[in-house]
Amino acid sequence: MEMSRSHGRTTTGFPRSRRALALPLGVAVASAVAFLPGSASARPASMPDAPASASSASTAGSDAASMSYVVNVRPGKGTSTRVQRAIAKAGGDVVIAYDKIGVIVVHSANPDFAKTIRKAKGVDSAGATRTAPLSAQSDNALDSERPLTAAEAKAAAGEAAAGQDELEPLQWDLPAMKADKAHEISLGSREVTVAVLDSGVDDTHPDIAPNFDRRASASCLGGVPVQKGNAWRPVAKESDHGMHVAGSIAAAKNGTGVTGVAPGVKVASLKVAEPATGMYYTEAVVCGFMWAADHGVDVTNNSYYTDPWLFNCKTDADQKALVDAVGRAARYAERKGAVNVAAAGNAKTDLAQEEILDKTSPDDTTPVPRTIKTKDCLDLPSQLPGVVTVSATGAKGLKASYSNYGQGVIDITAPGGDRTEFQAPRPPAVDGRILSTLPGGKFGYKGGTSMASPHVAGVVALLKSTHPHASVARIKSLLYRQADAMVCTDPYDFDGDGKVDAVCEGGTNKNGFYGAGMADALDAVRK
């Protein structure tokens, strides 16, 4: 079966983030992180919390002919120091070294750098993080799929019941997972922080400002954490994907706007998507997990896939290095107490198949069709061990038309929205997509597994609030056990044309469409 880049990439009408998914006439954007070549910067001297960085003051301007690489070594400064000497000898400049996990980010103009450094003593793996030079960028920012209209806002305010935010009547997704009932018991703890690894969050938004965690926020572009100048915010014309995700998690319950699944917890922004291209490269993703882990984050939301490969195959030397690097960072975050949640993707593909045709990789240069073996190739970070992988449902409670699926791949499901013509919500809600926050104090609809993942991240935040001392394993066990079991949709014909569009495998408590079932916010606060 053909696999389109809809995790986030734009294919079949769906933008690139599990990334926000564009559904014609009503499906919101599925969020997968977009990954494009972009500038990298060295660690500023004023960043004492950043990992040690060796050379560099290199920037995209000076790296015009350079490529970016990750070099993976045994964790610890000893091996890193020795390998850094070999890196310099091979024509590489160290941008930053994450010694705790043994990942070194390097820029080099030497076309044979990766082959050379792989032979150095102490190197476990090494590979290019992209196929285009650092300077190659194009504008691929995502626009809101559909802004909220003034008429809809006015009508919703008239429908709001006591205790509801003004736009909450339009949020069919909250009762779908019993979040509205959960809020009568608890809004979540201020001691819990969810980090949004994405395109940036506008912390001046009235629904985000009350819950924003500046201390845990940073830009990770180029693999180097930067807090100066509110670097975590999206810039003009940049994707609003991360902002939409943040609102679904923790928009404040303050009488106005929308309500998040966990409106009492904090949300942090870790900017990992390149502003000009929307690409989510390995070095930025690694930085995001590391920063989250070292700043006490309890949950990470990952509504993207790591560019430029839709699947990273461990049988390829370059791609293996990317799997190693992101895998080490995600495991480090989990060891430090963070539950990692990720979107499954928007290509309506069975990820449990033995082989999948990938026609979209690499997505930063010219794609070369290839058939990948799923036992060797992973979608990063959603298919890493330990990561909670989320599929999407629409307003009728059925698998969304675009959502990926797969027995043994999908862990849980949550509302991600679908085309209104396929799954229309009950009034007063009017749109089958998810309504959430947008930059500049605005609101809008998007749809995709990018929107489903933050709903689960919000439930995890409520679980962490209820069980503050529980381990990551315990929180995930509660998440799955408390989920409302969903039977396979059989036959599954999302557009009603009489043709079966996908086949669900598995039983009531664990299947390829819905995993353990619908995430349950109410049980998260009372059990």
Side-chain angles (χ1 to χ4, degrees), residues 22-76:
L23 297 177
L25 301 178
V27 175
V29 179
S31 147
V33 176
F35 320 71
L36 291 178
S39 61
S41 56
R43 176 174 67 95
S46 61
M47 290 295 296
D49 293 334
S53 124
S55 68
S56 256
S58 53
T59 65
S62 60
D63 286 333
S66 292
M67 295 288 286
S68 182
Y69 299 85
V70 286
V71 179
N72 302 309
V73 303
R74 181 182 304 168

Side-chain angles (χ1 to χ4, degrees), residues 4-343:
S4 80
R5 201 84 229 222
S6 269
H7 272 22
R9 310 307 192 264
T10 304
T11 53
T12 64
F14 297 81
R16 318 179 36 182
S17 288
R18 222 153 269 126
R19 289 153 205 194
L21 176 62
L23 297 177
L25 301 178
V27 175
V29 179
S31 147
V33 176
F35 320 71
L36 291 178
S39 61
S41 56
R43 176 174 67 95
S46 61
M47 290 295 296
D49 293 334
S53 124
S55 68
S56 256
S58 53
T59 65
S62 60
D63 286 333
S66 292
M67 295 288 286
S68 182
Y69 299 85
V70 286
V71 179
N72 302 309
V73 303
R74 181 182 304 168
K77 292 185 178 180
T79 303
S80 178
T81 299
R82 290 194 300 273
V83 171
Q84 287 185 38
R85 289 195 288 267
I87 288 171
K89 186 176 180 181
D93 293 320
V94 173
V95 176
I96 193 165
Y98 288 98
D99 292 333
K100 293 176 182 177
I101 60 171
V103 176
I104 307 171
V105 178
V106 179
H107 289 174
S108 178
N110 176 8
D112 294 322
F113 174 78
K115 291 180 181 179
T116 301
I117 202 63
R118 285 180 197 129
K119 299 175 183 177
K121 185 177 181 180
V123 173
D124 294 332
S125 60
T129 66
R130 59 195 76 196
T131 62
L134 289 165
S135 58
Q137 297 188 6
S138 62
D139 187 0
N140 192 34
L142 296 173
D143 293 324
S144 170
E145 180 63 18
R146 186 174 79 79
L148 179 73
T149 67
E152 286 172 341
K154 183 177 180 179
E159 295 282 350
Q164 282 192 318
D165 283 348
E166 288 180 331
L167 301 179
E168 195 171 339
L170 301 177
Q171 294 183 267
W172 59 264
D173 47 308
L174 296 183
M177 56 196 309
K178 293 180 274 190
D180 55 337
K181 298 298 183 184
H183 297 162
E184 296 174 5
I185 300 172
S186 173
L187 302 180
S189 169
R190 302 290 294 170
E191 301 302 313
V192 173
T193 293
V194 181
V196 176
L197 278 67
D198 215 299
S199 59
V201 175
D202 175 12
D203 51 294
T204 68
H205 193 293
D207 254 355
I208 297 296
N211 293 338
F212 193 72
D213 190 338
R214 294 173 63 93
R215 183 193 61 84
S217 298
S219 168
C220 273
L221 301 184
V224 180
V226 175
Q227 287 188 305
K228 185 177 179 181
N230 302 315
W232 55 75
R233 292 178 184 167
V235 298
K237 297 184 179 180
E238 188 173 2
S239 169
D240 53 18
H241 189 266
M243 187 62 184
H244 196 279
V245 165
S248 290
I249 296 169
K253 196 167 184 64
N254 53 5
T256 64
V258 297
T259 303
V261 173
V265 308
K266 292 182 180 180
V267 64
S269 173
L270 289 172
K271 191 171 183 177
V272 298
E274 294 285 348
T277 60
M279 300 296 250
Y280 297 71
Y281 282 121
T282 293
E283 57 268 41
V285 173
V286 167
C287 170
F289 279 122
M290 296 299 293
W291 182 268
D294 288 338
H295 288 78
V297 163
D298 301 282
V299 190
T300 71
N301 185 81
N302 305 271
S303 290
Y304 60 88
Y305 67 86
T306 308
D307 298 281
W309 306 99
L310 180 57
F311 296 97
N312 288 267
C313 298
K314 292 175 283 186
T315 51
D316 177 274
D318 282 292
Q319 293 166 43
K320 179 183 184 300
L322 309 188
V323 174
D324 289 348
V326 177
R328 291 182 184 196
R331 286 193 299 273
Y332 178 78
E334 184 167 313
R335 289 198 303 271
K336 295 284 280 188
V339 177
N340 299 317
V341 182

Side-chain angles (χ1 to χ4, degrees), residues 485-508:
M486 298 174 66
V487 299
C488 278
T489 305
D490 183 21
Y492 178 72
D493 175 14
F494 70 79
D495 55 4
D497 65 356
K499 294 173 57 178
V500 173
D501 296 299
V503 176
C504 177
E505 296 181 350
T508 301

